[in-house]
Amino acid sequence: MRVVNKNKECRRKAWNSAWIAVAVAVVLWAAPVSVLGADLKPETLQQWDEYVKAVDGRIQEHLAPAASFVSSAQNPDESAKLRAGQIIVWPASHEVPLKVDSGLIHDWIGAAFIPDTTVREILAVLRDYDRYEQFYHPSVVPSKLIASSDSKDEFSMVLMNKSVVAKTALDSDYQTTYTQVDEHSWYSISDTTRIQEIADYDTPLEDMLPENHGTGLIWRLHSVTRFEERDGGVYIQLEAVALSRDIPAGLRWIIDPIVRRVSRFSLATSLRQTESAVRLFSASAMTSFNKSSTAGMVRSLR
């Protein structure tokens, strides 16, 4: 197993992937489930926690000396497609969405390649939280940084659902931990720490619902992302995992294919939006970022 030098990690762990939560959050955005109220059950949450633990455990497989850190970068056919500008998205298993007690786990993996850039440039753009509404329009409304340290970032964001339930939004908090493995490889783990639905968002009837209650379009979000800098750019491989309420058995044969199609499209769209943000805003974001208190961390990546 590859061992990360802690001193080196502290100096170089300067990159943040809290933006990944954005991609996860839109995976279910158009899933046509019932809008009637529901509550997240303890047994559902327990099965979710067990699944997430297994997802996180798989990162160790990619740290082994002979393992490929970003598998798409090591596969000649896939890497050629990515360098040609394609985005590849696939389900983590044939059972996606996975049925659990009173819920569904959606687990999708997406890969992209951003040419002519570095992790430093991507970092400068993706930490520019005030521009998330521009980067991930129209799903993201306001967003802001809550706290940042050398190993963890926290931020909040409102996600607007304009396609399924009129004037429904999610007010959510996120936490991301990040690790630089070596000079060219990074990974991050992101989680929601709070999700609350806002009914009748931006209307006189706006109402913030209690945690773990609402339509159940999204109960929890989790992601693991691996970055590898090579071939004149950066390969990104994102595993986006979401927990939603269950779909009635009688409708599942109709709805499951729609959910899968929407999940694939949403993840690809988020990766494409990230690439566009890097291309369009990297210069101005880099100037602003280098003036911030995190400039020293960015320079440590040189």
Side-chain angles (χ1 to χ4, degrees):
M1 178 183 300
R2 187 183 310 175
V3 178
V4 180
N5 181 282
K6 291 186 177 180
N7 292 331
K8 181 180 179 181
E9 178 183 344
C10 291
R11 294 194 306 269
R12 291 185 170 178
K13 276 193 316 189
W15 103 279
N16 166 48
S17 63
W19 66 278
I20 294 301
V22 179
V24 190
V26 297
V27 167
L28 295 180
W29 219 218
V33 300
S34 170
V35 299
L36 298 177
D39 292 298
L40 177 60
K41 300 183 182 303
E43 57 269 27
T44 310
L45 185 57
Q46 180 180 353
Q47 291 179 320
W48 163 260
D49 290 339
E50 292 172 353
Y51 189 92
V52 165
K53 184 177 180 180
V55 170
D56 289 348
R58 291 199 293 270
I59 192 66
Q60 299 303 319
E61 300 174 7
H62 297 278
L63 297 178
S68 59
F69 189 69
V70 174
S71 58
S72 298
Q74 302 292 337
N75 184 301
D77 292 336
E78 290 186 357
S79 63
K81 291 178 180 178
L82 295 174
R83 291 197 305 274
Q86 295 186 36
I87 289 178
I88 305 173
V89 179
W90 66 97
S93 74
H94 296 297
E95 297 179 337
V96 174
L98 176 66
K99 176 71 174 68
V100 295
D101 289 338
S102 301
L104 294 172
I105 294 177
H106 309 255
D107 189 350
W108 287 79
I109 301 172
F113 177 74
I114 304 180
D116 303 319
T117 190
T118 65
V119 174
R120 288 181 63 242
E121 293 174 331
I122 293 175
L123 168 63
V125 171
L126 299 178
R127 291 187 68 131
D128 193 353
Y129 298 99
D130 291 341
R131 289 189 176 182
Y132 270 30
E133 186 172 357
Q134 295 175 260
F135 297 165
Y136 301 104
H137 178 80
S139 295
V140 176
V141 195
S143 63
K144 65 178 181 179
L145 177 69
I146 298 174
S148 181
S149 68
D150 206 30
S151 60
K152 180 174 67 176
D153 283 332
E154 300 175 24
F155 77 106
S156 65
M157 181 167 55
V158 175
L159 296 161
M160 181 65 187
N161 180 355
K162 296 182 178 180
S163 58
V164 184
V165 185
K167 290 296 183 180
T168 297
L170 294 180
D171 190 342
S172 46
D173 295 334
Y174 302 85
Q175 176 178 290
T176 299
T177 59
Y178 39 90
T179 302
Q180 182 168 5
V181 178
D182 57 31
E183 186 178 358
H184 302 290
S185 303
W186 297 260
Y187 75 88
S188 69
I189 299 177
S190 298
D191 285 283
T192 47
T193 57
R194 178 187 63 86
I195 293 183
Q196 290 181 259
E197 290 190 21
I198 307 174
D200 298 310
Y201 178 70
D202 199 27
T203 74
L205 300 176
E206 179 175 308
D207 182 28
M208 178 86 75
L209 302 181
E211 289 188 64
N212 302 328
H213 177 78
T215 63
L217 287 171
I218 301 176
W219 289 129
R220 293 290 188 275
L221 301 170
H222 181 81
S223 68
V224 176
T225 309
R226 302 192 298 277
F227 281 59
E228 187 170 353
E229 190 173 322
R230 57 181 290 182
D231 298 336
V234 177
Y235 290 93
I236 306 173
Q237 187 160 309
L238 158 66
E239 182 168 5
V241 193
L243 175 66
S244 75
R245 68 180 297 176
D246 195 8
I247 297 171
L251 298 176
R252 197 170 296 140
W253 69 277
I254 299 175
I255 293 178
D256 273 3
I258 300 175
V259 172
R260 290 171 64 89
R261 183 169 65 251
V262 168
S263 298
R264 185 186 301 273
F265 175 79
S266 298
L267 190 52
T269 297
S270 295
L271 288 169
R272 184 68 71 192
Q273 288 174 320
T274 299
E275 179 184 2
S276 297
V278 171
R279 290 180 178 277
L280 292 175
F281 298 100
S282 59
S284 59
M286 201 65 182
T287 300
S288 175
F289 191 73
N290 282 333
K291 294 179 180 178
S292 72
S293 60
T294 54
M297 290 192 299
V298 176
R299 287 192 294 270
S300 70
L301 285 175
R302 293 176 179 172

